[in-house]
Amino acid sequence: MASATLILPLAFAGRHHHGVSQRRLLFAGKFRDGVSLSFPASKRRVLAKAQNAVNEEAVETQSSELKNGTQRTPSSSKLVLVVGGSGGVGQLVVASLIQQNIKSRLILRNPEKATELFGEQDKEKLQVFKGDTRNQEDLDPSIFEGVTHVICCTGTTAFPSRRWDDDNTPERVDWVGVKNLVSALPSSVKRVVLVSSIGVTKSNELPWSIMNLFGVLKYKKMGEDFLRSSGLPFTIIRPGRLTDGPYTSYDLNTLLKATAGQRRAVLVGQGDKLVGEASRIVVAEACVQALHLEVTENQVYEINSVEGEGPGNETKKWQELFEAAQSS
């Protein structure tokens, strides 16, 4: 049977495939470092298209970094706590941190998900704790030992859905969960990045009032305000309507994670004035970049994705975007 050679970002070279069904597999992909995954023929075209985009962007990014001297060095001094790391944005945040060799620690309700999503990782690089921010008693101080930075990208649906099962409502996730997390953090934390939403300051205005029928914008704003009043250094990222995922197949997510299609350019604003969409890939990278940049400390930004070439993972370009938003 013929096979195709696919090149993945290094962050996923050690990832394993657990979700192959028992039906006959007609397409196999050979990955570097000896890891092989299999896919049904029905996904051949989707995977091929995604892979081409990933390869093109990987080459462009590497070439640009070499040319501009912006290649990353290991950031071993950071230990980043990611809350919501199994969600659509959170998966991409963790993947970016792994790729940049930044030590990460996850709080997950189901720790087994970490292996399913990210494969077997060195425990020095990726640590996993069982916990639920909705329950204050779950947040043992040992979870926060040595943590230097925090990225919180928890969330649920704005309207009643299956995701509301087990009391997973906006009030419990976006308000109680954020409040419990911020209250438990040590004062030594250097930055807390919180993913919120555009429209939180306009929850009584159309069309935001429709989105806020069950309080999601109100509770996100309450979480924001609690963080801002905590005294901890913070950055708040308010994305537009999220696109690019969430991916139900983590193998497909592996292929797609490095590309936002044609919408790679980024709009960054302040004052809750932006209206539009934001790629989860862009939002995740904005969170990670905020950790590196002093200019983002104690700032709130809105993020949208538009057609065009974007900043990728180049810190200098992200700094220019954040600075431009503050000066406008």
Side-chain angles (χ1 to χ4, degrees):
M1 177 175 62
S3 61
T5 300
L6 308 180
I7 299 176
L8 292 181
L10 284 174
F12 297 96
R15 189 168 177 172
H16 303 287
H17 180 67
H18 302 283
V20 180
S21 69
Q22 296 303 309
R23 66 182 180 274
R24 183 167 175 249
L25 296 170
L26 301 178
F27 178 65
K30 291 185 178 179
F31 295 81
R32 112 177 114 182
D33 291 350
V35 180
S36 62
L37 305 179
S38 297
F39 302 97
S42 59
K43 288 189 177 181
R44 182 195 299 265
R45 291 182 180 176
V46 175
L47 295 177
K49 183 178 180 181
Q51 184 57 45
N52 287 337
V54 170
N55 290 343
E56 289 174 5
E57 182 151 319
V59 171
E60 289 173 3
T61 300
Q62 185 179 37
S63 175
S64 177
E65 289 178 346
L66 288 170
K67 181 178 179 180
N68 299 315
T70 58
Q71 285 184 300
R72 300 288 180 86
T73 56
S75 301
S76 58
S77 62
K78 290 186 176 73
L79 174 55
V80 181
L81 178 70
V82 181
V83 187
S86 63
V89 171
Q91 292 178 42
L92 298 166
V93 165
V94 175
S96 181
L97 292 171
I98 292 173
Q99 192 171 38
Q100 297 177 42
N101 200 26
I102 298 175
K103 292 183 290 186
S104 308
R105 181 176 294 170
L106 310 185
I107 301 178
L108 294 178
R109 300 175 193 173
N110 178 10
E112 293 179 358
K113 274 192 173 182
T115 303
E116 294 176 0
L117 292 170
F118 309 112
E120 295 290 345
Q121 296 289 337
D122 187 329
K123 291 183 179 179
E124 286 298 311
K125 180 178 290 188
L126 181 64
Q127 305 165 359
V128 183
F129 282 73
K130 180 178 175 61
D132 186 339
T133 56
R134 298 173 303 172
N135 304 322
Q136 193 171 20
E137 60 273 16
D138 280 8
L139 302 179
D140 187 271
S142 62
I143 294 176
F144 308 104
E145 289 181 1
V147 168
T148 60
H149 299 73
V150 179
I151 297 177
C152 179
C153 38
T154 54
T156 186
T157 55
F159 300 96
S161 68
R162 282 188 174 183
R163 287 184 61 188
W164 281 30
D165 292 350
D166 192 27
D167 206 21
N168 201 52
T169 62
E171 180 178 10
R172 295 288 295 164
V173 174
D174 295 311
W175 165 230
V176 175
V178 171
K179 178 181 69 172
N180 288 342
L181 173 66
V182 173
S183 298
L185 292 176
S187 59
S188 58
V189 167
K190 297 179 180 179
R191 186 74 62 87
V192 181
V193 178
L194 175 66
V195 178
S196 182
S197 172
I198 60 172
V200 292
T201 67
K202 304 176 181 180
S203 59
N204 294 322
E205 305 174 14
L206 286 172
W208 312 111
S209 57
I210 297 174
M211 184 178 177
N212 193 51
L213 283 174
F214 294 90
V216 66
L217 295 179
K218 177 182 77 173
Y219 294 123
K220 283 184 181 294
K221 184 61 164 60
M222 290 171 64
E224 283 189 14
D225 291 343
F226 191 83
L227 173 59
R228 295 175 76 165
S229 64
S230 69
L232 294 169
F234 68 86
T235 305
I236 295 171
I237 302 294
R238 295 171 175 169
R241 187 179 72 85
L242 293 172
T243 63
D244 291 325
Y247 307 110
T248 57
S249 165
Y250 55 82
D251 294 308
L252 187 57
N253 184 20
T254 297
L255 294 172
L256 292 175
K257 79 111 196 163
T259 177
Q262 299 298 316
R263 302 169 68 84
R264 302 181 188 183
V266 180
L267 295 180
V268 180
Q270 290 190 306
D272 208 1
K273 299 174 184 176
L274 289 183
V275 178
E277 300 178 338
S279 163
R280 285 177 170 86
I281 299 160
V282 166
V283 176
E285 191 60 33
C287 292
V288 175
Q289 292 296 330
L291 301 179
H292 306 311
L293 297 171
E294 291 185 9
V295 69
T296 64
E297 184 173 324
N298 297 335
Q299 297 292 323
V300 182
Y301 301 99
E302 290 79 49
I303 301 284
N304 275 358
S305 301
V306 294
E307 288 191 10
E309 291 302 315
N313 64 358
E314 294 188 38
T315 299
K316 182 179 179 181
K317 290 183 178 180
W318 277 101
Q319 179 167 342
E320 291 170 353
L321 285 169
F322 288 129
E323 288 177 340
Q326 290 174 219
S327 63
S328 62

